[in-house]
Amino acid sequence: ESVETDLPTTIEGPLSPWRNSKSKERIIKMLKSPTSDIHLHLPATYGPNNWQDVNFGLLQRLYADGRYTSGNFRENVKRILIHFRNSTGPFEPAEDAVEKWYTSPNNVSKAYALLFALMMKDESMRSLNSMSDIEIWRSHDEFQKYEFDKFKVYITNMKKLTRRRKEVIAEEQSAYDSDVRIVELSEDSGRGYPKWNTHPASDLLHEDETSGRAKEMKPQVLWMSRGEYQDFPLTVFRKHVYQERMAQLAAPCWQHKRNQNAKKMYEESLELIKEWHGGQFARDMDEIVGIWETINFVS
């Protein structure tokens, strides 16, 4: 019965040194594959002082260049099999790739999220301002996953980003406050009836929809049930009834969809911030204690 291998039927050219050979590469590749038939030709146990059940001759015939001397082939394959058994050398599990710093607004690394959150908070930003770049880099394991030279650039860019973000937030808040003051000065909508958002009817309709009262009657009957509702034309009131109903029906769905990724990132950021502050406090205390001991115990 023949066994299929990827060994060429004819081998031409000079014999390569084992360390750079196709035979070595082929055996390692097949050992890495859980579906390779090479595993059928290996005993359940083997290792130092326990090679008697390994058929090295068969392995060479099936997977390697037959021009290697049997003794050298045997010793070389022993080393490969020991690495395979111990998951070392070429069989060592690959380390996880470093998470990409930034891909998109919804796909950033934990280190990015942490640094952004720290710089957006006034308290932690004051701490960061008192630290050098290398101290910031050393302040958390997530930061140290990135090369320091690259991380220095990330710090500079993040300072610019968060500074602009804070400026935009301040401008938007100022504009909003100004608009609110203007709106609050006038109670009339300019159309002959009050402004809906500031009128008690708005809160009452929200309560009636939430309690189910509004669903038990037609909009006209509901309109007639409260004097506050009648401050608005029926056509206007009916529109607000449907708007409120749609808002309450849709809110749980779109809020969950919108917030699930942001919530996860926010919670992870909070945990990282707590961890960062805890570590920073410990480092500060170590430094303080060290200074105190130096002052008090120097002979």
Side-chain angles (χ1 to χ4, degrees):
E1 182 180 355
S2 63
V3 178
E4 291 186 6
T5 74
D6 59 356
L7 186 66
T9 54
T10 59
I11 301 174
E12 299 178 354
L15 185 64
S16 301
W18 176 259
R19 66 178 178 275
N20 301 322
S21 69
K22 292 290 184 182
S23 295
K24 176 184 177 182
E25 180 183 327
R26 184 181 303 110
I27 290 173
I28 291 173
K29 178 182 177 182
M30 299 193 78
L31 286 170
K32 286 182 176 181
S33 172
T35 60
S36 170
D37 59 11
I38 195 172
H39 301 288
L40 301 175
H41 307 299
L42 293 174
T45 59
Y46 55 83
N49 304 317
N50 185 23
W51 298 108
Q52 61 271 18
D53 294 328
V54 179
N55 191 335
F56 292 98
L58 178 64
L59 294 178
Q60 183 169 10
R61 180 167 64 84
L62 294 176
Y63 307 112
D65 190 327
R67 291 178 292 172
Y68 291 105
T69 64
S70 59
N72 286 340
F73 177 81
R74 180 186 181 94
E75 294 306 313
N76 286 324
V77 172
K78 280 182 181 180
R79 284 191 286 271
I80 292 176
L81 291 176
I82 289 174
H83 278 307
F84 176 65
R85 189 191 64 176
N86 297 332
S87 297
T88 56
F91 305 101
E92 187 173 356
E95 293 184 5
D96 293 337
V98 176
E99 193 176 12
K100 193 170 182 180
W101 177 254
Y102 177 94
T103 303
S104 70
N106 293 323
N107 186 12
V108 300
S109 66
K110 290 182 180 179
Y112 180 103
L114 173 59
L115 190 61
F116 177 84
L118 290 172
M119 289 192 177
M120 288 298 291
K121 290 173 64 70
D122 292 339
E123 179 185 358
S124 51
M125 188 59 193
R126 284 193 291 271
S127 296
L128 292 174
N129 283 333
S130 67
M131 300 166 67
S132 65
D133 287 349
I134 197 165
E135 286 174 332
I136 296 174
W137 180 68
R138 289 172 175 167
S139 68
H140 200 279
D141 291 342
E142 290 294 332
F143 296 158
Q144 294 177 53
K145 290 180 179 179
Y146 302 86
E147 295 178 9
F148 175 62
D149 288 340
K150 289 184 178 179
F151 191 75
K152 285 195 299 184
V153 178
Y154 297 155
I155 292 174
T156 301
N157 292 341
M158 188 63 77
K159 284 181 178 178
K160 293 177 182 177
L161 171 66
T162 51
R163 183 172 61 250
R164 289 197 301 268
R165 183 66 59 87
K166 289 177 181 179
E167 289 171 354
V168 169
I169 291 173
E171 290 171 1
E172 290 181 348
Q173 184 64 45
S174 176
Y176 172 78
D177 292 341
S178 177
D179 289 344
V180 168
R181 285 193 295 271
I182 293 172
V183 169
E184 288 175 346
L185 291 176
S186 173
E187 292 297 329
D188 190 84
S189 66
R191 298 179 182 178
Y193 50 84
K195 293 178 180 177
W196 177 261
N197 291 339
T198 57
H199 194 277
S202 176
D203 291 333
L204 289 171
L205 180 58
H206 180 78
E207 292 174 7
D208 285 346
E209 277 293 335
T210 302
S211 67
R213 179 176 183 269
K215 299 180 180 67
E216 296 173 354
M217 55 187 81
K218 293 182 178 180
Q220 183 174 0
V221 178
L222 181 64
W223 176 70
M224 295 177 63
S225 69
R226 294 185 186 274
E228 292 86 352
Y229 292 161
Q230 295 175 48
D231 288 342
F232 299 85
L234 176 59
T235 54
V236 173
F237 176 73
R238 182 182 286 112
K239 179 185 70 173
H240 286 297
V241 170
Y242 294 140
Q243 286 178 342
E244 180 66 31
R245 189 162 300 169
M246 289 300 297
Q248 291 198 20
L249 287 172
C253 177
W254 69 258
Q255 284 179 352
H256 173 72
K257 186 173 182 179
R258 180 195 66 185
N259 290 338
Q260 56 186 352
N261 290 334
K263 180 174 181 290
K264 181 180 179 183
M265 184 180 296
Y266 175 71
E267 289 175 346
E268 289 179 350
S269 296
L270 285 182
E271 289 301 316
L272 290 171
I273 289 172
K274 289 179 184 177
E275 183 182 336
W276 186 87
H277 278 298
Q280 189 61 32
F281 176 78
R283 284 186 291 273
D284 291 345
M285 289 304 297
D286 286 344
E287 183 178 353
I288 292 170
V289 170
I291 294 172
W292 185 88
E293 289 177 342
T294 301
I295 294 173
N296 288 278
F297 293 106
V298 171
S299 55

